[in-house]
Amino acid sequence: MTDRLFLYDTTLRDGQQTQGVQFSTPEKVRIAQALDTLGLDYIEGGWPGANPTDSAFFDDAPKAAARMTAFGMTKRAGRSAENDDVLAAVLNAGTGTVCLVGKSHDFHVTDALGITLDENVENIRDSIAHLVAQGREALFDAEHFFDGYKANPDYAIRCAKAAHDAGARWVVLCDTNGGTLPHEIHEITKAVIAAGIPGDSLGIHTHNDTETAVAGSLAAVDAGARQIQGTLNGLGERCGNANLTTLIPTLLLKEPYKSQFETGIAVEKLESLTRTSRMLDDILNRVPFRQAAYVGASAFAHKAGLHASAIVKNPATYEHIDPATVGNERIIPMSNQAGQSNLRKRLADAGLDVEKGNPALAQILDDIKAREDQGYSFDTAHASFELLARRALGLLPNFFEVKRYKVTVERRKNKYDRMVSLSEAVVVVKIGDDKKLSVSESLDETGSDRGPVNALAKALAKDLGPYQSLIEDIRLVDFKVRITQGGTEAVTRVIIDSEDSTGRRWSTVGVSANIVDASFEALLDAVTWKLVQEGATP
């Protein structure tokens, strides 16, 4: 027998409280659709009436198998639930499920709200009863519950029981300040169950201020709670919320949770997890966190030669799951620490089967070590590594030759008498017997200058003749600069991440004393690698 565990996503509300994050209504719809496809039980769409975006979302909320949920707060003291306009706005969103937040810490009741402890309990009870009378599934987020329990356990439980007795389907215990450790969450959750609220009516909502939000959520489940609230990629105020991108595969793949619990997410749906995580980062124009559990680009990267050698024999030696299970992939980074086992495995991953003892292997390792001594890094620039290896193996086609390039940066006043910058790039390439000259400016669609590297990228990709259709979907998604060595001998390392319309991403590196020259080298590698992958004919 397995218990049903319910997963509640609050990315569209709590996630929007992340500094620098602001979703548009179409973006919220897109995220909600991805969450529903994944199989979440609840999707909290926001707080209707609190801002125009949230209100517009509920006007245009997508049809979903998940229970779309509106969020609000309990009624204010001194008025009835029927006459509270803030509560009415939440109900008017028309969702079958409504979650209300209320205080459960006596300090917050008396000092923040400025009302009596009895009045707060009445507000909780009457608000939940009103939802139930309207035929809605009611949830109560007991704000600051764990801090409140530690300060006054009787009152915290009294608030939770008021919601439960009034008909709340779920009473959610919130570690709002994120400072409660997992063992405390476990003990307090068990105490709440012992006080009369059954575990199948309890949820857990943790924040990550001690980097234990996921562990705290699991501790509550171990104690008997049967709903988990969290966000994609751990978005949220301050240090973020419990990361569902980590919790979901842990619950589905790890014991004892795998055997004890059933969720609304099928194991085969996990294959879309990495893609969904990166979709959210793309919407936010953020670079995905490489070390993220399960879905990070480095989550299954094996750099040490000893590790890579063992991985070739059996991946289970250094991997806790098959990366394909969550839609990720194994990476064998190349560096001056690499041995031939790493190298052959990395070449095989790139579709290059090289027999043991091939003299080109030693040459490739020598090239890597020599280049890293000059400032290159192939740890993350897997596409540049592949081109280096193909060159040594005699397997790199000569698609085109860059004859020259030039970049100018001009600073001038515009018609509004404001100083503006404008970059212009000229690139001349030779393809066969044809020379092609392309010129591009760095202005975007809003008329803003995007810099000399942007101008170079646009000029290089403007006209590559017979290859043009193969590179038109290349998009630069990240640009990283590092100054190496230092002093008068300092050189610049540039790493560029590119993506195409299929969602494929690749990284390339360039090194030079000149940042523009280093950038252009990385851009050239990005275009050349794309042509290799597309099977272009030289």
Side-chain angles (χ1 to χ4, degrees):
M1 294 292 292
T2 57
D3 281 354
R4 182 65 160 89
L5 191 61
F6 293 83
L7 300 177
Y8 183 110
D9 182 276
T10 181
T11 303
L12 302 182
R13 183 187 63 83
D14 268 337
Q16 192 161 257
Q17 293 176 4
T18 309
Q19 187 176 9
V21 170
Q22 184 63 49
F23 297 123
S24 67
T25 300
E27 287 170 344
K28 293 186 75 163
V29 170
R30 183 182 171 194
I31 295 166
Q33 290 170 331
L35 292 168
D36 188 51
T37 300
L38 192 57
L40 273 295
D41 297 295
Y42 294 87
I43 299 173
E44 188 176 87
W47 189 329
N51 60 74
T53 303
D54 283 7
S55 298
F57 172 79
F58 287 105
D59 290 339
D60 195 31
K63 299 294 183 183
R67 302 175 207 184
M68 200 63 66
T69 306
F71 180 88
M73 67 180 184
T74 55
K75 79 173 187 70
R76 289 163 289 179
R79 66 187 68 191
S80 68
E82 292 80 4
N83 293 316
D84 190 288
D85 55 334
V86 176
L87 189 53
V90 177
L91 284 165
N92 289 340
T95 59
T97 302
V98 176
C99 180
L100 299 182
V101 64
K103 305 294 186 184
S104 58
H105 187 176
D106 55 3
F107 164 72
H108 283 269
V109 174
T110 56
D111 287 44
L113 294 182
I115 61 177
T116 69
L117 299 184
D118 288 341
E119 283 179 310
N120 181 60
V121 173
E122 178 188 342
N123 290 343
I124 295 169
R125 183 191 308 110
D126 291 355
S127 299
I128 296 298
H130 181 58
L131 295 185
V132 175
Q134 298 291 318
R136 310 299 176 88
E137 179 185 25
L139 289 85
F140 175 62
D141 270 8
E143 190 180 31
H144 297 286
F145 182 83
F146 293 95
D147 291 334
Y149 183 92
K150 285 184 275 188
N152 186 340
D154 291 340
Y155 185 71
I157 288 180
R158 184 182 168 199
C159 292
K161 290 191 73 173
H164 179 258
D165 293 347
R169 168 65 183 91
W170 295 103
V171 176
V172 183
L173 310 181
C174 300
D175 183 30
T176 310
N177 287 355
T180 308
L181 296 179
H183 73 278
E184 297 175 292
I185 290 176
H186 184 272
E187 292 169 3
I188 294 171
T189 303
K190 287 190 72 173
V192 173
I193 295 172
I197 302 179
D200 59 8
S201 292
L202 279 183
I204 180 66
H205 178 115
T206 57
H207 284 255
N208 205 33
D209 298 73
T210 57
E211 200 68 48
T212 57
V214 167
S217 298
L218 295 174
V221 171
D222 292 340
R226 293 296 177 259
Q227 187 203 84
I228 299 177
Q229 294 193 358
T231 61
L232 276 182
N233 293 353
L235 289 183
E237 194 170 31
R238 302 185 315 275
C239 303
N241 288 41
N243 190 345
L244 287 178
T245 318
T246 302
L247 278 164
I248 290 170
T250 297
L251 293 168
L252 269 65
L253 301 175
K254 299 295 184 179
E255 296 293 359
Y257 310 104
K258 175 183 176 181
S259 298
Q260 286 185 6
F261 300 106
E262 175 190 352
T263 71
I265 300 177
V267 172
E268 54 268 22
K269 289 289 187 179
L270 286 179
E271 294 180 0
S272 67
L273 189 66
T274 298
R275 183 170 64 252
T276 302
S277 169
R278 294 177 185 176
M279 175 209 74
L280 179 61
D281 286 325
D282 188 58
I283 288 173
L284 297 175
N285 197 26
R286 288 183 162 194
V287 179
F289 179 49
R290 300 192 69 87
Q291 278 73 41
Y294 294 103
V295 299
S298 297
F300 302 96
H302 307 280
K303 180 176 177 179
L306 179 64
H307 294 196
S309 177
I311 283 286
V312 171
K313 298 170 185 173
N314 188 334
T317 52
Y318 284 96
E319 288 178 352
H320 66 113
I321 66 165
D322 179 354
T325 307
V326 291
N328 208 339
E329 61 183 355
R330 180 179 303 116
I331 294 177
I332 307 295
M334 296 311 304
S335 72
N336 59 14
Q337 298 182 33
Q340 289 204 8
S341 294
N342 287 50
L343 180 57
R344 293 183 63 235
K345 178 64 174 67
R346 188 67 187 89
L347 292 173
D349 290 342
L352 301 171
D353 292 320
V354 183
E355 68 279 7
K356 191 174 182 179
N358 188 315
L361 294 174
Q363 181 61 53
I364 293 170
L365 286 174
D366 287 344
D367 288 348
I368 289 171
K369 292 175 182 179
R371 286 185 170 242
E372 290 203 340
D373 189 55
Q374 298 166 18
Y376 288 83
S377 173
F378 297 98
D379 261 11
T380 55
H382 62 277
S384 287
F385 156 73
E386 184 181 331
L387 296 180
L388 179 151
R390 284 181 175 274
R391 193 173 290 112
L393 293 166
L395 298 175
L396 184 63
N398 184 23
F399 298 112
F400 60 91
E401 177 187 4
V402 176
K403 303 300 291 183
R404 65 183 179 91
Y405 80 86
K406 179 175 70 173
V407 181
T408 59
V409 180
E410 182 181 3
R411 184 84 169 152
R412 67 184 182 205
K413 286 191 173 183
N414 64 10
K415 62 181 180 180
Y416 303 108
D417 202 36
R418 290 199 296 264
M419 293 300 296
V420 296
S421 296
L422 175 66
S423 303
E424 183 180 79
V426 177
V427 177
V428 178
V429 299
K430 186 176 182 182
I431 305 173
D433 294 327
D434 295 335
K435 277 189 179 181
K436 296 185 178 293
L437 182 149
S438 297
V439 181
S440 185
E441 292 183 341
S442 59
L443 298 181
D444 62 16
E445 59 275 6
T446 68
S448 301
D449 178 52
R450 305 298 292 176
V453 176
N454 176 271
L456 264 177
K458 289 165 65 176
L460 177 62
K462 198 167 190 177
D463 184 8
L464 280 185
Y467 308 122
Q468 191 60 30
S469 63
L470 301 177
I471 66 165
E472 285 182 336
D473 64 340
I474 296 179
R475 184 170 67 93
L476 304 186
V477 294
D478 193 25
F479 177 84
K480 296 181 283 290
V481 178
R482 173 68 60 87
I483 305 300
T484 67
Q485 297 181 30
T488 57
E489 298 179 355
V491 295
T492 302
R493 178 198 303 145
V494 170
I495 293 181
I496 290 177
D497 291 346
S498 305
E499 185 178 56
D500 62 17
S501 58
T502 68
R504 177 171 51 190
R505 288 196 179 201
W506 62 100
S507 301
T508 51
V509 61
V511 169
S512 172
N514 183 310
I515 187 173
V516 174
D517 197 43
S519 302
F520 191 67
E521 182 183 5
L523 288 169
L524 277 176
D525 273 6
V527 171
T528 302
W529 187 86
K530 167 74 167 171
L531 293 177
V532 169
Q533 301 307 304
E534 297 293 343
T537 302

